[in-house]
Structures are given as structure tokens and as C-alpha cells.
Amino acid sequence: MEPDAYLLSRIQFAANISFHILFPTITIALGWVLLFFKLRYARTSDMAWMRAYFFWVKVFALSFALGVVSGVTMSFQFGTNWPGYMERVGNIAGPLLAYEVLTAFFLEAVFLGIMLFGFRRVSSRVHTLATFLVAFGTTMSAVWILALNSWMQTPAGFEMRDGVAHATDWWAVVFNPSFPYRLVHMLLASGLTVAFLVAGLSALRWLMGDRSEAMWKALRTGLALGAILIPLQILAGDQHGLNTLEHQPAKVAAMEANWQTRGNVPLVLFALPDENARTNRYELSIPDGASLILRHSPDGVVPGLDDFVAEDGTALHPPVMPVFWGFRIMVGTGIVMLLVSWVGVWFVYRRAVLPRPLALVLVPMALSGWVATLAGWYTTEIGRQPWLVTGVLTTREAIGPVPGGQVGFTLAVYLLLYASLLVAYLGTLVFLARKAAAAGDESPLPAVADSSLNQPLAGE
Amino acid sequence: MTVDWPTALPLVFASLMGLAILIYVVLDGFDLGIGILFAAANDEEKDAMIAGIGPFWDANETWLVLAVGLLLVAFPIAHGTILTALYLPVFALLFGLILRGVAFDFRAKVPPQRKSRWNAAFFAGSSIASLAQGYMLGVYVLGLQPGWPVVLFGVLVALCLSAAYVAMGAAWLIYKSEGELQVKAVRWLRHALIVTALGMAAVSLATPWASPRIFEKWFALPHLFWLLPLPLISGVLFLWLFALTFRLPAPGDRHALTPFLILATIFALGFAGLAYSFYPFVVPDRMTIWEAAAAPESLAIILVGTAFVLPVIIGYSFYAYRVFGGKAGDLRYD
């Protein structure tokens, strides 16, 4: 029996894009953090800033490479697995992707070389400029990709002619209703991911006995960044949710596991949504909570999932369980981030110490940004189903003719490859931390014999 | 004079895509070739070889993204047809590129005892990606048809394109290295050159035989006369380069970059020949560039951006190559 190519292709794309997003999430914000380190060094001439730069630029290079190769893979998978996508909406998706490659991808890829290896070859000013251009390039990449993703969620500025989408207003295509919210939400998510990665890896170095000034500088930067960004993110997330309520009510209904359209909807803290019985089991909830959050009034009406069922009983809303839980994991992680970063800032800035228990909490929190980002993307992407482009193209319509057996084979190899790369990546981060911790402020600046891709050293 | 945009735009985009593919093949060709040459190098040489491509490979690979991006945006229907027909080879290519790209960074950052593992991954990834590209070229040349003869031809082109990449890699090394490694690179170039020449001859002969239409385009008079310089110049360049390998490295390191430039010219000529053969089809004998093209207004908006941005990209790419010009040994890692 031939396995189901549709299901396997979906799993494959999900695996690919989940693996991919881990790395841009890091590089988008880490580029700016590196620029910050570089500018601090330029202003203070304090070598510790440069040591922090040299350590984190290695993390950047590694993350960037993983992001590039998994991104290239995705651009091919549009064609190999989802040819219906470009056939139907290629006139819109095409230019957005083209502008991403032209204005962002090349910029970052070319200046990355100068940023990584050019410290000796160009003036410090040009090196700083290269760092800026790489950071700017990664951010522009995110802008274009999020414009396209948002257009798929809330399409605008187009008309259908002979079953093919044609743009009528490019401004409306790019600035479609959910784009500004999604962009801000994602850029803040990237900032938080990096904040906790920097703080967590610095805490790991501290636990390994590192008391170097470079470690402290990175730790303080990470904690402060997290503490500043998390309240902003909560605000941005709330606004994004209200935007989704307006444009994709079925998604919000699934996020809240709310079955009937009504007022006084409770905020469900825990439940196992049951799509067959169309009710929640083991529900634990706060009365009026969802109405208050979404309508800012206890008797505000929140849409229910039962409104999105066809007459023959097929669900026109997304699967409830993953959207409901994805959303809760994201929000839960955000709350922990708030607590940890504020407590951390208080200790590190006010008392200038890092208590051991706090360090032990910060280390696993290094990956909290990944958890929240993935959970959030699962919420919004699964929440778009059964549509690939809302109201224009269903995911099933886009599938190509490749037999399921072949997709199953490639999926198995991809999963194996991604799992090994993830283990290697995390292992390497720990190894780099250990090496930096062992060297402390005495680290040779910055290279050793085994590092032919490292930074050339600062003039000494 | 009025321009007929619906006719002109697909043509412009086909040329742009061709340009992106050619630049990709020349630039990432030497990266991949150096990866394959890892099999023949010792550990110290490997570091020097990586130093020779370190600052560039990322930008080089971006040309592939641009090429497939242009195929995707300008010829959406062809994009689906070609990539689904080549599902498994495309997968092999991506697998190879992933392995190559990450091994590049990991090998420099992992504990020393694990380095050889990533060196092996770098070799494997580069080889798989080169072979997959050659295989796809072979299958595409024969019109994406099924059948064993096509597969065999694909394997033949896979080997020859890999040899061509090895030649590119060796030629780049001659420019980037000195001393013993440079001498080695000259030898590598000479050997790879023979296989490359055979491969180009095989593709040049197979293409017209596989398609009566292409045969007609090449061998009907008077086309033959003004097309004749294409293979003739390529042949002369091959012989010149082959002879040159016996005189390199030259005193004062003269002609260090010449082999690379000659090879790039040969690639460009071969590519021009292929482009002439297939025009106006984007899927051989099935779909022309006009049948496959996206809506003119979408193409126009991309073209406006491309016209401004592409020269800038080429400009700053030149700048990056100049910053890292000269021998790779000058890259200081101490």
C-alpha cells in the first residue's frame, strides 16, 4: 500500500520549517546584539566587549550556516512537494520571495564573510558596518518572509483570474491586515530567544567557573534585554491576538477551545478538547477570562468552533488540540521568562551577584525562546488549516504528484539528519562555552590551532 | 518603438536565470570541487583549502537560491514540473548541500578529536551535491524522460560535472595557495581536466542525438558556420589550459589566476551552447518560457527591483572578493 503523500509531505514541511526557524530566530536578533558589543568596544576600548563579540560571533556563524542550508531546502520543497502553491499564488508569493533574496539574502551572505574574517583586513569602521549590514539583512529577510506568511494568513490586495491570484495593489499585499502584528511579534520573539540564549550560555560558563568580564557583560546584556522585551512582547501578543480575532476567528476559537459563540467565555487553563464530542474534557477555567482578554469586557462575545462546521459535518476550523496547547505552551513560557528575567536583573544589577540557583534556572532557560517560538508558530500555522492561503487555496489542493513512498524515504532521512545536526549544534555550544570558560579573560585573542574559521585577532 | 512586454519579460527572466545559474556553477563549482579534493589532502592542507573558500561559500551558494528563486517566481508552472520530476535527485542535492554547509562551520568549532568526522562530512556533502547536480543536468538534457538509458547518461554527466568542479576547485587553489599545496593543485587540475573535456564532449554530442529539434538547430546550414566557433574556442582553451598545467607554478606566481579564468570561460561557452539548444523551452520540448511564465505585472515588479539591486550585489561581491584577495595563507588565525 502506498503511504499517504499528502500527510507525509505535511510532516516533512513541518519538520523542515520547524528546524529552520530555530536558527533565523537566533541570527535575526544576535546580529544586533553583536553590533551592540562592537559599538561598546568602539566606544570604551574595553577588550572584554570584543571577547564577548568573538565568542558570540562563532555562535552566529554556526547558527547562520544551519539557517542557510535549511532555508535553501525549503525553497526547493515548494516545488518538489507543493507545486500547487506557486501555480495558484505564484504571482504574489514570487515577487515577495524574490525581493527577499535580492535585498536581504545576498546582503547578509556577502558581508558575513567580512564580519567573520575581516576584522584584520578592513578598518574597524568597515567591520562595524559589515556587522550592521548582516544584522540589517537578516531583519529584512524576516520582513519579506513575514509579509508573505501574513499574506497567506490574511490575504489582501489581489483578485482571482482563471483560478490564479493576480496582485492588484502591492501595498495592500505587503501590508496585509496581520503583517504589522506578526512582524513585531516575531522580531520580539527573536530578541527574547537571543536574550535567554545569551544569558543561559553565560550562566553555564559561570557554573563552569568562568568569572571573566566578557561573561559578565554578556550575562548582563542578555538579562536586561529579556527583562525589557518580555513586557513589550506580552503587549504585542495581545494586540496580535485581537487582530487574529478580527481576521481569523476560527483560529482564536481553537486557541481558546471555545465551542459555542457566546458571551462570558471563561479562560480555559487546562482541558483536553474533544473534537468528536465537540466539548472540553477535564476543563479548568477562570470565569469570563477569555471574554475579558479578547473583548476587554466580561460579557464580550467570543466566536465558537461550532460556527465553522459544514452542513455535512466536516470541520472547517483547524484541529483544536495542537492549537489550544501550542498557544498555552507559548504563553506559559512567556510568563516564566518574565519572572526569571526580572528576578535575574534584580540580582545581577542591584546586588551584582549571580546566585547559584538562578544560574541553574538560567541554563535550561537558554532554550526557552525556541520553545515559545515553535509553540507560537505551531499555533498560527496549524491554526490556518485547512487553508494554505486563507480562502484561496487549501493545503490539500497544493500537493504534487510525487509518490508517498519517495516522500516517506526523504522524510526519514531529513528527520535523521536534523536530529543529528541539532545534537551536534547544542553539543558544540556547550563545548564552546567550556572552552571560553577554561580560558576566561586569558583567552588568546581570539584563536587557537583548531579554529581555521575563527575570528582573526584584534591588533596585538 | 513599443516593447511587447508579455513577450519580452519571460525572455529577460530566462536570461537572468541563466546568468544566475552560470555564476552559481562557476562560483560554487570551486567550493564543491575543493570539498571533493578533501579526499586527496592531508589535515594541514585541508585547513588551507578551507581558508581559501571560507569568506565566499555562503555568498556563492546564494546564487543557487536566486536561480531556483527565479525559476519559482518567473516560471511557476515549470518550477513544479521540473522539481517533481527530479524529486529524489533534488533531495540528494539538498542533503549534500546541508552536509557541506554545516560541516564547514562545525569542523572549526568542535573538539579537535571530532574534526575528522566533519572533514568526512564536508567531502561527502560536496560530492553528493556535485553528483546530484550533474545527474539532474543529464536527465534534463534528455528531456526529463524515464528509462535506463537516461539514468545511465545522468550518471555519466554526474561524474563529468564533478570532475569539472574538481578542476575548478584545483584552479582556485592554484590562485589561493602556495608551496607544496599549489604544486599538488596543478596536478589535480591536469587530471580533472581530461575527464572534464570528455564530459563536455559527451554532453555536446548527446544533446543533438537525443532531440531531432536540437540536431536541426545545430547542424542545419548556415547555423553550423556561426556556431562552429563555440566548440572550436572551447577546444583551443582546453588545450591551452592543459599545456599551461605543465608550466605552473610559474616564477613569481605569474598566471596563478589564469587557469580559473580559462575554466570559467569554458563553462560559459558550454553553458551558452546548452542555452542555445534548449531555447525557447524551459522544460525541454514540452513547455516554452512563455507558456510557463508568471503574470507580466508580477514579472515587471520583480524586474524593477532586480535592475537596481543586481548591480549592487555584483558590486559588493567584487568588494568582498577584493578584501579577501591574494593567498589564503594571509588569512590570519593565530
Side-chain angles (χ1 to χ4, degrees):
Chain A
M1 194 192 91
E2 190 71 37
D4 181 10
Y6 168 68
L7 188 64
L8 290 170
S9 291
R10 277 187 72 186
I11 298 174
Q12 176 164 295
F13 200 78
N16 205 316
I17 204 161
S18 302
F19 182 73
H20 174 70
I21 192 63
L22 300 177
F23 303 103
T25 305
I26 290 176
T27 50
I28 291 166
L30 190 53
W32 297 105
V33 170
L34 285 170
L35 183 65
F36 172 74
F37 287 164
K38 183 75 207 283
L39 289 173
R40 293 300 296 157
Y41 167 71
R43 167 152 299 200
T44 62
S45 299
D46 183 347
M47 212 52 218
W49 287 113
M50 217 50 219
R51 282 178 208 277
Y53 183 97
F54 286 135
F55 177 80
W56 283 100
V57 87
K58 286 180 208 160
V59 178
F60 185 92
L62 200 59
S63 313
F64 194 90
L66 282 156
V68 168
V69 294
S70 54
V72 171
T73 307
M74 265 186 346
S75 69
F76 276 90
Q77 272 188 15
F78 287 138
T80 54
N81 295 75
W82 306 102
Y85 175 65
M86 290 310 283
E87 281 165 25
R88 179 87 48 102
V89 299
N91 288 328
I92 310 238
L96 297 181
L97 288 170
Y99 272 89
E100 192 239 344
V101 175
L102 288 170
T103 63
F105 213 171
F106 269 108
L107 202 63
E108 40 186 333
V110 170
F111 285 97
L112 182 73
I114 296 176
M115 173 177 164
L116 294 181
F117 308 109
F119 193 68
R120 269 178 181 283
R121 297 218 158 211
V122 295
S123 67
S124 181
R125 219 174 270 265
V126 172
H127 182 253
T128 307
L129 178 69
T131 308
F132 165 77
L133 287 172
V134 170
F136 178 74
T138 49
T139 307
M140 279 310 290
S141 245
V143 169
W144 290 113
I145 291 302
L146 286 169
L148 175 55
N149 180 275
S150 300
W151 185 82
M152 288 157 61
Q153 305 271 359
T154 55
F158 72 105
E159 63 183 22
M160 298 301 290
R161 270 182 247 150
D162 305 325
V164 174
H166 288 259
T168 51
D169 177 356
W170 279 105
W171 189 261
V173 167
V174 174
F175 291 92
N176 60 77
S178 65
F179 170 64
Y181 299 92
R182 197 181 314 278
L183 177 67
V184 171
H185 198 43
M186 181 60 210
L187 291 182
L188 287 171
S190 171
L192 284 165
T193 303
V194 167
F196 282 89
L197 182 71
V198 170
L201 220 51
S202 302
L204 182 66
R205 283 169 62 174
W206 187 88
L207 286 171
M208 289 166 170
D210 187 358
R211 298 291 183 272
S212 66
E213 194 47 39
M215 184 283 296
W216 280 113
K217 283 186 163 28
L219 178 69
R220 282 197 287 263
T221 307
L223 282 175
L225 189 62
I228 294 168
L229 292 186
I230 188 73
L232 296 176
Q233 180 69 308
I234 291 170
L235 194 69
D238 176 56
Q239 294 299 310
H240 189 23
L242 296 182
N243 177 265
T244 309
L245 176 65
E246 189 182 339
H247 295 280
Q248 294 174 290
K251 188 192 284 184
V252 170
M255 281 156 68
E256 301 297 348
N258 182 41
W259 298 92
Q260 283 95 36
T261 301
R262 62 200 158 115
N264 300 91
V265 177
L267 176 65
V268 182
L269 296 178
F270 181 94
L272 296 179
D274 183 341
E275 276 191 53
N276 293 323
R278 302 199 70 76
T279 184
N280 294 332
R281 289 188 287 133
Y282 311 108
E283 183 178 303
L284 175 73
S285 54
I286 302 172
D288 301 342
S291 289
L292 272 171
I293 291 174
L294 289 164
R295 296 293 188 198
H296 297 183
S297 139
D299 53 3
V301 176
V302 175
L305 289 158
D306 289 348
D307 287 4
F308 306 95
V309 178
E311 289 194 357
D312 63 354
T314 38
L316 301 176
H317 59 73
V320 183
M321 186 76 98
V323 175
F324 174 81
W325 277 109
F327 182 63
R328 260 140 206 81
I329 292 170
M330 177 186 76
V331 172
T333 312
I335 292 169
V336 178
M337 284 175 159
L338 180 71
L339 290 175
V340 171
S341 61
W342 284 21
V343 169
V345 161
W346 190 78
F347 273 108
V348 170
Y349 279 86
R350 293 294 294 273
R351 310 206 18 205
V353 291
L354 179 63
R356 194 176 167 81
L358 179 61
L360 286 171
V361 170
L362 280 174
V363 171
M365 285 296 284
L367 301 184
S368 59
W370 276 7
V371 173
T373 304
L374 279 181
W377 274 110
Y378 275 63
T379 305
T380 198
E381 295 295 277
I382 299 175
R384 189 189 55 213
Q385 303 301 326
W387 298 105
L388 205 166
V389 180
T390 307
V392 176
L393 175 72
T394 63
T395 311
R396 192 173 274 284
E397 287 170 323
I399 187 76
V402 176
Q406 290 190 14
V407 183
F409 166 72
T410 57
L411 171 62
V413 183
Y414 275 128
L415 287 178
L416 211 63
L417 181 65
Y418 290 155
S420 346
L421 290 181
L422 209 52
V423 170
Y425 177 78
L426 293 174
T428 306
L429 289 195
V430 172
F431 173 72
L432 287 175
R434 181 173 301 138
K435 216 166 70 169
D441 273 336
E442 304 307 313
S443 62
L445 258 183
V448 272
D450 67 82
S451 45
S452 55
L453 271 175
N454 278 349
Q455 280 284 330
L457 66 140
E460 64 170 58
Chain B
M1 195 187 91
T2 54
V3 182
D4 177 12
W5 287 110
T7 310
L9 278 171
L11 205 56
V12 170
F13 273 87
S15 320
L16 279 176
M17 191 170 77
L19 182 71
I21 294 177
L22 179 62
I23 296 179
Y24 169 76
V25 165
V26 169
L27 294 184
D28 211 30
F30 74 73
D31 297 338
L32 290 169
I34 283 177
I36 300 173
L37 284 170
F38 252 44
N42 64 36
D43 280 351
E44 209 172 308
E45 290 165 348
K46 281 174 187 158
D47 282 346
M49 287 155 81
I50 286 284
I53 54 178
F56 314 115
W57 79 271
D58 218 330
N60 293 347
E61 193 170 302
T62 306
W63 289 98
L64 176 68
V65 180
L66 181 66
V68 79
L70 285 173
L71 177 65
L72 181 141
V73 303
F75 308 106
I77 310 171
H79 173 253
T81 310
I82 294 173
L83 291 187
T84 50
L86 295 172
Y87 187 78
L88 290 178
V90 166
F91 167 73
L93 167 68
L94 295 172
F95 181 82
L97 287 180
I98 292 176
L99 214 54
R100 188 275 300 247
V102 300
F104 201 95
D105 256 282
F106 272 120
R107 68 182 289 287
K109 295 177 179 68
V110 293
Q113 70 272 17
R114 299 236 180 90
K115 193 172 170 184
S116 65
R117 192 185 296 176
W118 290 106
N119 281 341
F122 188 64
F123 164 74
S126 304
S127 308
I128 294 170
S130 308
L131 290 169
Q133 286 178 13
Y135 181 83
M136 287 192 280
L137 175 64
V139 174
Y140 178 83
V141 160
L142 296 190
L144 299 172
Q145 303 296 332
W148 279 110
V150 177
V151 173
L152 282 178
F153 183 71
V155 171
L156 175 74
V157 180
L159 293 172
C160 296
L161 186 72
S162 303
Y165 283 172
V166 168
M168 293 293 279
W172 185 251
L173 269 186
I174 294 173
Y175 167 57
K176 275 288 173 187
S177 65
E178 45 204 340
E180 213 173 304
L181 181 57
Q182 197 180 30
V183 176
K184 255 185 164 176
V186 172
R187 206 170 60 231
W188 287 335
L189 172 62
R190 192 183 309 142
H191 294 159
L193 214 48
I194 300 169
V195 188
T196 308
L198 288 176
M200 274 187 89
V203 176
S204 306
L205 292 176
T207 323
W209 284 108
S211 159
R213 183 185 59 81
I214 295 177
F215 188 92
E216 183 69 14
K217 278 184 92 168
W218 279 85
F219 293 101
L221 297 172
H223 297 193
L224 186 61
F225 289 110
W226 53 267
L227 286 170
L228 214 49
L230 220 53
L232 282 183
I233 297 174
S234 304
V236 169
L237 287 176
F238 260 119
L239 289 176
W240 177 27
L241 184 55
F242 194 70
L244 193 62
T245 59
F246 291 94
R247 289 188 282 122
L248 285 173
D253 208 32
R254 279 187 302 121
H255 296 304
L257 190 56
T258 315
F260 182 77
L261 295 179
I262 298 177
L263 266 177
T265 313
I266 294 175
F267 267 55
L269 290 172
F271 194 80
L274 276 179
Y276 174 75
S277 298
F278 289 112
Y279 177 82
F281 289 96
V282 58
V283 182
D285 295 334
R286 268 193 270 171
M287 199 185 289
T288 67
I289 54 175
W290 293 283
E291 287 161 353
E297 61 268 34
S298 289
L299 291 181
I301 197 151
I302 305 174
L303 187 62
V304 172
T306 312
F308 282 103
V309 178
L310 203 59
V312 179
I313 291 175
I314 292 174
Y316 62 58
S317 299
F318 263 108
Y319 171 72
Y321 271 89
R322 228 194 46 195
V323 167
F324 296 102
K327 297 295 176 193
D330 292 345
L331 268 183
R332 293 275 294 270
Y333 301 127
D334 44 299

